[in-house]
C-alpha cells in the first residue's frame, strides 16, 4: 500500500493495521502446517468416532499430539511437556517467548506462564475435575489454564463444569487477579481447521468470561459458517 497522500492519522492507523495483520499471520497455521494439522485432527476424530475399538491410550496420544502441535505452531509459546513440581505433574507449561512478549497488545494474556492440560475422557469433563484444575493453577500462580479435551466441559448452568469456570473467574474482585479456565474441544479443533487460530479462540473465550456470556456469540460475528453444527450447550 502506498503511503502517498495519507494524513498523519491515516498513516499511523495503517501501520497499526499492518502490525495486527502480521500478528494474525504469525499465529495462524500456514499451508504446510494446515496439512499436518488435518492429518492429526482426522486421526483424533477417527479414534473417537470410527467403527473400530480404539484404546484409551491411543486416543490420549492423538489428543496430546494435536495439542502440542497447535501450541508450538502458535509461534508465541515455548512449550515444556510433563513438568513435575513438588506436588503435581503438569501436562504442558507454556511460557511466552520473545515474539509473544512483543505481541501482547493483540491478545489479553495476563502473566507470562500458563498451564495446559489434556483430558482424554469418553464424556464431558465434570465439575469436580475443573475444581482440581483450579487448585493446580492457584498452586502455580497461573492466571490462565487451557483445558483440552474431545467433548469439552459438562453443562451450561451455574452448577455445571462450565458454570464453575465462571464462578472461579468471579472469585477475585480485581480483573487482573482473576483466573481464566479455557475449554478447548472438538468444536474448536474443527474451527481451527476452517481457518480460525487457536490464539483468537482463546482470546474470544476470555472475553466471553469477562462479560459472562457465551463464546459462540463472538465467533458467530467473525465466522457464521463455523457455527452451523455448533452444540455449545449440550450435556
Amino acid at each position: 500500500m502506498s503511503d502517498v497522500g495519507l494524513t498523519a492519522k491515516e498513516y499511523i492507523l495503517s501501520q497499526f493495521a499492518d502490525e495486527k495483520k502480521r500478528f494474525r499471520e504469525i499465529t495462524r497455521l500456514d499451508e504446510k502446517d494446515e496439512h499436518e494439522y488435518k492429518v492429526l485432527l482426522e486421526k483424533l476424530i477417527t479414534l473417537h468416532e470410527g467403527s473400530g475399538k480404539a484404546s484409551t491410550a491411543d486416543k490420549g496420544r492423538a489428543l496430546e499430539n494435536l495439542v502440542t502441535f497447535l501450541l508450538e505452531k502458535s509461534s508465541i509459546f515455548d512449550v515444556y511437556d510433563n513438568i513435575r513440581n513438588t506436588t503435581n505433574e503438569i501436562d504442558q507449561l507454556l511460557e511466552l517467548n520473545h515474539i509473544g512478549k512483543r505481541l501482547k497488545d493483540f491478545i489479553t494474556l495476563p502473566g507470562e506462564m500458563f498451564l495446559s492440560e489434556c483430558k482424554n475422557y469418553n464424556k464431558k469433563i465434570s465439575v469436580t475435575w475443573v475444581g482440581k484444575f483450579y487448585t493446580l493453577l492457584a498452586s502455580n500462580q497461573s492466571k490462565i489454564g487451557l483445558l483440552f479435551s474431545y467433548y469439552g466441559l459438562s453443562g451450561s448452568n451455574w452448577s455445571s463444569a462450565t458454570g464453575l469456570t465462571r464462578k472461579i473467574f468471579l472469585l477475585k474482585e480485581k480483573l487482573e487477579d482473576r483466573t481464566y479456565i479455557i475449554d478447548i474441544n472438538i468444536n474448536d479443533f474443527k474451527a481451527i481447521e476452517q481457518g480460525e487460530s487457536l490464539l483468537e479462540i482463546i482470546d474470544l473465550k476470555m472475553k466471553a468470561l469477562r462479560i459472562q456470556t457465551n463464546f459462540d456469540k463472538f465467533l458467530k460475528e467473525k465466522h457464521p459458517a463455523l457455527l452451523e453444527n455448533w452444540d455449545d450447550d449440550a450435556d
Side-chain angles (χ1 to χ4, degrees):
M1 180 182 72
S2 173
D3 295 329
V4 177
L6 294 179
T7 66
K9 178 180 179 179
E10 288 172 337
Y11 175 76
I12 292 171
L13 288 174
S14 71
Q15 295 302 302
F16 179 81
D18 288 344
E19 190 173 355
K20 188 173 183 179
K21 182 179 179 181
R22 286 195 293 271
F23 166 78
R24 290 172 61 86
E25 291 302 318
I26 288 171
T27 57
R28 287 177 181 272
L29 300 178
D30 60 23
E31 291 184 6
K32 179 181 177 181
D33 293 337
E34 283 177 353
H35 174 73
E36 188 172 351
Y37 177 75
K38 287 181 179 180
V39 172
L40 292 170
L41 179 58
E42 183 178 355
K43 182 174 183 179
L44 179 67
I45 293 173
T46 299
L47 288 173
H48 278 271
E49 301 180 12
S51 56
K53 290 282 187 178
S55 70
T56 300
D58 286 341
K59 292 177 182 178
R61 277 192 295 271
L63 177 62
E64 290 173 5
N65 290 340
L66 183 75
V67 168
T68 298
F69 179 83
L70 279 175
L71 293 173
E72 290 178 345
K73 296 301 181 180
S74 72
S75 304
I76 72 167
F77 295 124
D78 288 329
V79 182
Y80 304 96
D81 293 320
N82 302 316
I83 301 297
R84 178 169 288 281
N85 61 17
T86 55
T87 56
N88 296 286
E89 183 171 333
I90 301 165
D91 284 357
Q92 288 107 7
L93 175 67
L94 312 178
E95 182 177 18
L96 285 180
N97 58 27
H98 68 285
I99 297 174
K101 291 174 183 177
R102 290 188 62 182
L103 297 177
K104 281 191 73 172
D105 288 343
F106 298 104
I107 184 170
T108 305
L109 291 174
E112 296 182 357
M113 299 188 75
F114 320 106
L115 304 187
S116 166
E117 289 281 323
C118 296
K119 287 300 163 187
N120 178 43
Y121 291 161
N122 289 323
K123 59 181 181 179
K124 293 190 175 233
I125 294 173
S126 71
V127 65
T128 300
W129 202 91
V130 171
K132 292 180 179 178
F133 190 41
Y134 172 64
T135 300
L136 180 64
L137 292 171
S139 66
N140 287 276
Q141 299 182 335
S142 177
K143 299 300 180 187
I144 299 180
L146 306 179
L147 188 50
F148 293 92
S149 67
Y150 193 85
Y151 296 105
L153 303 184
S154 66
S156 58
N157 58 39
W158 282 92
S159 62
S160 67
T162 300
L164 182 56
T165 64
R166 295 171 180 165
K167 290 179 181 178
I168 287 170
F169 179 75
L170 295 172
L171 281 175
K172 300 293 179 66
E173 183 177 349
K174 293 182 179 179
L175 181 60
E176 61 268 26
D177 294 332
R178 293 180 176 180
T179 300
Y180 298 82
I181 294 179
I182 305 299
D183 163 37
I184 307 293
N185 57 61
I186 185 59
N187 290 321
D188 304 304
F189 296 145
K190 290 179 178 178
I192 292 169
E193 183 183 27
Q194 296 181 48
E196 197 61 59
S197 81
L198 173 63
L199 291 177
E200 287 177 317
I201 287 175
I202 292 170
D203 196 41
L204 292 177
K205 291 198 174 192
M206 290 175 67
K207 183 188 296 183
L209 271 175
R210 286 196 295 275
I211 67 170
Q212 297 293 294
T213 190
N214 290 330
F215 151 74
D216 58 2
K217 295 182 187 301
F218 296 112
L219 188 63
K220 188 173 184 179
E221 292 178 4
K222 289 169 61 63
H223 300 292
L226 294 179
L227 287 169
E228 289 179 356
N229 298 311
W230 205 275
D231 190 17
D232 197 48
D233 291 331
D235 288 334

